């Protein structure tokens, strides 16, 4: 059936409303976006503000991050993302998650139930090692 990719948002953003795929400006996000787009498979952005975003969804810049909100707010965010995934026609048996632990923690139990296979290729890597991994990854 294929794969779907989930890529976390980042702090660096453009200053005007932009399609979500182009809003985030950090080297990490750009490299992750290029890698998942090269796969030709569907992908979504895990946004601290909006939950699950389609890459072409136009949004305004925001400052919210899961790193600065409470554990209960992160649980609520995870529930929201789960509902958004269920509301979309995602036909995949594998999900590949390119996101830090704060973005994964409240989603992993659900993802493991929803998809046959869950892959977190950069799990446990520091941001510097993630950038190196993204630089050297030819395909996903």
């Amino acid at each position: 059936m294929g794969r779907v990719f989930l890529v976390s948002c980042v702090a660096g953003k453009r200053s005007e409303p932009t399609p979500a795929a182009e809003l985030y400006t950090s080297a990490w996000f750009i490299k992750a976006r290029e890698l998942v787009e090269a796969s030709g498979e569907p992908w979504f952005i895990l946004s601290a503000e909006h939950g699950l975003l389609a890459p072409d969804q136009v949004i305004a810049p925001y400052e919210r991050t899961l790193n600065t909100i409470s554990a209960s707010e992160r649980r609520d965010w995870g529930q929201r993302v789960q509902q958004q995934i269920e509301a979309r026609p995602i036909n995949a048996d594998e999900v590949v998650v390119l996101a830090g632990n704060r973005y994964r923690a409240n989603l992993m139990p659900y993802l493991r139930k929803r998809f046959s296979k869950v892959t977190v290729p950069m799990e446990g890597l520091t941001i510097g090692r993630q950038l190196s991994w993204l630089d050297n990854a030819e395909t996903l």
Side-chain angles (χ1 to χ4, degrees):
M1 273 183 21
R3 299 179 297 178
V4 63
F5 294 88
L6 300 178
V7 180
S8 69
C9 68
V10 295
K13 298 173 188 72
R14 296 187 190 282
S15 59
E16 65 280 337
T18 307
E22 300 168 25
L23 180 70
Y24 307 98
T25 59
S26 77
W28 184 97
F29 184 86
I30 291 167
K31 290 174 185 186
R33 182 191 74 214
E34 289 171 352
L35 192 59
V36 299
E37 286 178 340
S39 77
E41 295 180 279
W43 69 289
F44 296 91
I45 298 161
L46 296 173
S47 163
E49 179 70 20
H50 302 283
L52 190 73
L53 288 173
D56 61 350
Q57 188 172 342
V58 176
I59 58 167
Y62 60 89
E63 296 303 320
R64 187 176 177 93
T65 173
L66 295 189
N67 294 325
T68 60
I69 62 174
S70 70
S72 83
E73 288 173 306
R74 287 192 302 275
R75 281 191 299 276
D76 291 346
W77 176 87
Q79 288 288 91
R80 177 180 177 195
V81 171
Q82 291 172 37
Q83 292 168 356
Q84 290 171 316
I85 289 172
E86 288 302 316
R88 292 186 179 271
I90 298 174
N91 295 316
D93 54 3
E94 179 181 1
V95 61
V96 179
V97 184
L98 303 177
N101 190 52
R102 292 270 168 125
Y103 286 80
R104 293 191 324 261
N106 292 297
L107 291 178
M108 293 304 282
Y110 162 78
L111 294 175
R112 287 188 180 108
K113 288 178 185 173
R114 170 67 172 76
F115 297 94
S116 302
K117 183 176 180 184
V118 178
T119 305
V120 185
M122 295 186 288
E123 187 169 17
L125 299 181
T126 63
I127 192 68
R129 290 185 185 219
Q130 288 179 30
L131 283 165
S132 178
W133 187 92
L134 289 165
D135 279 338
N136 295 309
E138 294 178 21
T139 62
L140 277 174

